[in-house]
Each structure stands twice: as C-alpha cells, then as structure tokens.
Amino acid sequence: MTVFSELRMRPATAVRRGWNASTTTRLVLAGVVMFTLLLGANLATPLYPLLQLRLGLGPLGVTVAFASYVLALVAVLMLAGHWSDHIGRRAALVLAVVLGVGGSLVFAGAGSLWMLCAGRALQGIAVGLATGASSAALRELLPSRPEWASRFTLLASSGGVAAGPFIGGLLSLLPGPVSTPFLAHCVLLLLLLVPLWMLDARPAIRPAVGPRPYAVLAPRRPSVSREAKGAFALAAAVGFLSFAVFGFCLSLGPGYFAAVIGTDARPVTGLLAGLTLGASALSQLFPLRGRMLLPTGLSVLGAAVALMAAAAAWHNPALLVIAGLAAGVGQGSAFRPAFNDLATKADPARHAQVISTVYVITYLGSAVPVIGLGLASSLVGLGPAVGGFALICGVAALALAAVSARVSVRR
C-alpha cells in the first residue's frame, strides 16, 4: 500500500513494490521517528533566555510559548489519538514528520510571540500524531514482549526530550543561534521521510468499510476497559506529576539553573535542563525491579525536587546536578512500572487510543502547572515561585507514593 492509499483507508489500486524491512529495522525506525520529533520539540529550551531578550518576553511569555506546544499536542491526542488504528502506523508517522518540518521552519523564522506559539503548536501536533502510532507500532512488532515495547517507547520519548536541550545549545553556537538548530532539524526529518515512504507498510488495523470511511476518524470520547481503569488512573497521576517537573526544566529551568551555576552558556544550561530527562531515559536501559519500585521511585522524585530548590537557596551547583539526576531516576523508576501495567492491560485493538488518552493527562502536567509557575514568577520572582512549586510537587509525590505503596501491598 502507498501512503496515499493508507490515508484514504482503501486498498491500493496498483501493486507497489516497497521495502520489506526486517522487524529490527521497523523497531528502530519507529523509535527514531519519535525520538527525532521530540528532540526538535525541545531544541528551544536553552534558547528561551535569548528569545526573551530579542522579543522582549517575560517569564509568562516563555511559559505561554512552551504551553502552546503542549496544548496542541493534547488536543491532537484527544481528537486524533486513534487515527493510526485506522490509517495505519506508517501513514500517521509520515503525517507527523511532515508537520514536524513545518513547525521547525516556522520556529526558525519566528519574530514574535505568536509565531513562536504557531511553530510550537505545529510541533505539538506532530508529536501528538506520532505518540500513539509509535507506541502501538512497537507493541505490534514485539507481541510477546509488551514490557520491552513499553520500555522502548519510554526510552525514545524521554531520550528525545533529554537530548533536545543539549543539542539545541550546541547548535546555537553556530551563526544564526535561533534559526540554525531548527533548520538542521528540518534536514534530519526530511531524511527520515525517505525510509518511511519506501517502507512496505502493513495494512491498517481497522480497514474502512462502507461509503463513509472517514467517519471512523471522528473524535470519540476517551474510554478505558474496566480491567485497565486502576492502571490507567495510576499511570495518569504519575505521568502528570513527573511531567510537571519536566515542564519546569524545559521552560523556566534554563534561567533558573543559570542563576545557580553562575553562567548563561547555552550548552551548559541546555545540558542541565535535559539532565533529569536523560537520567529518566537511562533508567529504562538499566531497570530496577520489585513490588515497591513505584512508591520508591515517587519518594525519590519528591525528595529530589525539594533538593533542586535547596540547591538554589545554597547556591550549590553540585547539589543541583545530584538532584536533577535523582529526579530523573525516580521518575523513570516510577513511570515505567505504571506505564507497563497499563500497556499490558489495554485492549490491543484500542492500544493507540488508550496510550494517547493517558498521554493527554500526562502532557497536561507540563502545561497547566508551568503556566501557573510562569504567572507566579511574574508576580513574586522566579526563585520564590520555584520554591513553592518544588514544595507542592514534593508533597504530591510523597502522597502518591503512599497510595501506590498500599496498592502494591494488596497485590
């Protein structure tokens, strides 16, 4: 089938000789697409202080630009999270890559807050389309290893988010510090389109029937089976909390970290912004096990967030690095078992829809609290606002750890 026939949800009119890639190649391609889209969506993290100066933005403007990406992503997950179940995984990923190219081009030429928001929104739409498609593709390619499928999903997601700030900081040292990172990203996405387009894709999960094939793409109310509701609630709560921490690191974090370490070098602040995400990604490669892993990870996350605030109060860069690493390990250790439990209990026929729904709540964690943090920073200053944010997140993490510990003991 061609990409166009998949989008039409109809059989191809002519036989097409495609690239019959191996399972390993398909695994790598699905993960790399997700990794690259998220990398591009986070290239801007170390550039926000520079954009603040060039465009005259305050902390609230930065968080609005950041949140426009998240809100667009959430809207797509709600409205189109199930699309890849019908048009196929390859077609959804091709659409995502094309929109990702558009988002990076708009951001590269942004000269105002509304253009920043437009570029970020296009990036959010691209990531939203790819989220369910990539996760579902990985699970289908590893039908007997659902834990490995979810592990690869989390590794690609958190790895791309972690690498984006550091790579964005490095590329910003070249001429055109704001545009060069995004133009380079466009080239990378265009290169990814070649193997995606040539791939001999497998048929859509639900081929269209009847005279109105596109009716199945209409928005639908999120639903989760009774067996998966408990796992869904826990994964969503852990995701919301942990992405609130991630959202801070990727928006106002660079300016906050620069004040702690005494330098505004973009590669350094980008590295610190991605440190927590990187530690989370690496924790997927060396996973811990145990019935109490989820509450333990949440406890570590809560303590680490409190240490981030303490590092600023004591002007201690070493403590900031330790806290960032610990927060990432705690988040990865907590979210992985919660996500795995949901992935194994979700109905395979609605896997993309269920995963997209939990990511709706998860990504809202990196938008709603961060907008509140930006508003608080405008009123009382960045330091006190981050201190209050850390306190709330720390208490919430410990409370959620207590709840998850009771659930673990009952099993």
Side-chain angles (χ1 to χ4, degrees):
M1 297 178 70
T2 65
V3 173
F4 295 116
S5 62
E6 291 165 21
L7 292 174
R8 292 174 60 241
M9 294 182 288
R10 297 293 189 186
T13 55
V15 177
R16 169 184 176 269
R17 289 185 176 274
W19 173 34
N20 188 18
S22 65
T23 298
T24 300
T25 301
R26 292 172 186 269
L27 282 169
V28 172
L29 190 57
V32 168
V33 169
M34 192 65 189
F35 175 92
T36 306
L37 286 171
L38 281 165
L39 183 150
N42 292 281
L43 287 173
T45 295
L47 306 180
Y48 283 132
L50 180 60
L51 289 168
Q52 281 185 273
L53 294 175
R54 287 193 176 187
L55 304 180
L57 304 178
L60 183 58
V62 171
T63 54
V64 167
F66 178 81
S68 63
Y69 156 79
V70 179
L71 295 177
L73 191 160
V74 166
V76 171
L77 289 176
M78 293 177 65
L79 300 175
H82 61 293
W83 278 18
S84 75
D85 288 336
H86 303 284
I87 65 174
R89 314 309 183 196
R90 193 268 296 265
L93 292 177
V94 167
L95 280 178
V97 171
V98 170
L99 288 166
V101 171
S104 287
L105 286 176
V106 172
F107 203 101
S112 61
L113 177 58
W114 77 265
M115 287 190 69
L116 290 181
C117 292
R120 294 289 288 162
L122 282 172
Q123 291 177 330
I125 295 171
V127 173
L129 282 172
T131 296
S134 178
S135 172
L138 289 170
R139 181 174 179 181
E140 289 163 5
L141 292 167
L142 294 170
S144 61
R145 305 289 297 275
E147 182 178 347
W148 277 98
S150 60
R151 187 179 299 176
F152 286 148
T153 300
L154 295 175
L155 179 61
S157 300
S158 54
V161 177
F166 178 63
I167 294 176
L170 286 179
L171 293 177
S172 72
L173 299 178
L174 299 173
V178 175
S179 60
T180 298
F182 296 97
L183 295 177
H185 184 246
C186 285
V187 173
L188 185 57
L189 287 178
L190 289 172
L191 291 175
L192 270 178
L193 269 180
V194 176
L196 274 178
W197 198 273
M198 294 174 58
L199 189 66
D200 185 9
R202 292 168 184 174
I205 300 304
R206 296 181 186 174
V209 294
R212 300 177 58 201
Y214 293 104
V216 296
L217 302 182
R220 59 185 60 179
R221 187 176 66 178
S223 63
V224 182
S225 64
R226 180 178 300 178
E227 295 77 14
K229 282 186 177 180
F232 177 87
L234 191 56
V238 174
F240 185 94
L241 173 63
S242 58
F243 269 57
V245 177
F246 287 171
F248 156 69
C249 292
L250 297 171
S251 57
L252 296 177
Y256 181 76
F257 299 147
V260 177
I261 63 177
T263 179
D264 58 357
R266 289 188 293 274
V268 176
T269 56
L271 180 62
L272 288 173
L275 193 63
T276 300
L277 283 299
S280 174
L282 289 176
S283 71
Q284 309 307 319
L285 295 177
F286 307 99
L288 301 174
R289 296 184 180 276
R291 189 172 61 174
M292 300 299 291
L293 181 60
L294 175 56
T296 301
L298 286 168
S299 300
V300 171
L301 175 62
V305 171
L307 287 178
M308 283 186 182
W314 300 336
H315 299 285
N316 192 327
L319 182 59
L320 179 64
V321 172
I322 293 172
L325 290 172
V329 173
Q331 188 277 340
S333 300
F335 193 46
R336 182 176 58 82
F339 188 89
N340 285 350
D341 191 32
L342 174 61
T344 55
K345 292 179 179 178
D347 181 1
R350 293 189 299 168
H351 187 270
Q353 181 184 359
V354 172
I355 295 301
S356 295
T357 303
V358 79
Y359 270 116
V360 166
I361 301 172
T362 296
Y363 277 112
L364 281 175
S366 60
V368 177
V370 170
I371 292 176
L373 178 59
L375 181 60
S377 299
S378 300
L379 296 176
V380 301
L382 183 59
V386 173
F389 174 79
L391 177 62
I392 293 171
C393 288
V395 171
L398 293 177
L400 193 54
V403 172
S404 62
R406 291 182 61 186
V407 173
S408 299
V409 170
R410 290 175 181 175
R411 288 180 178 177

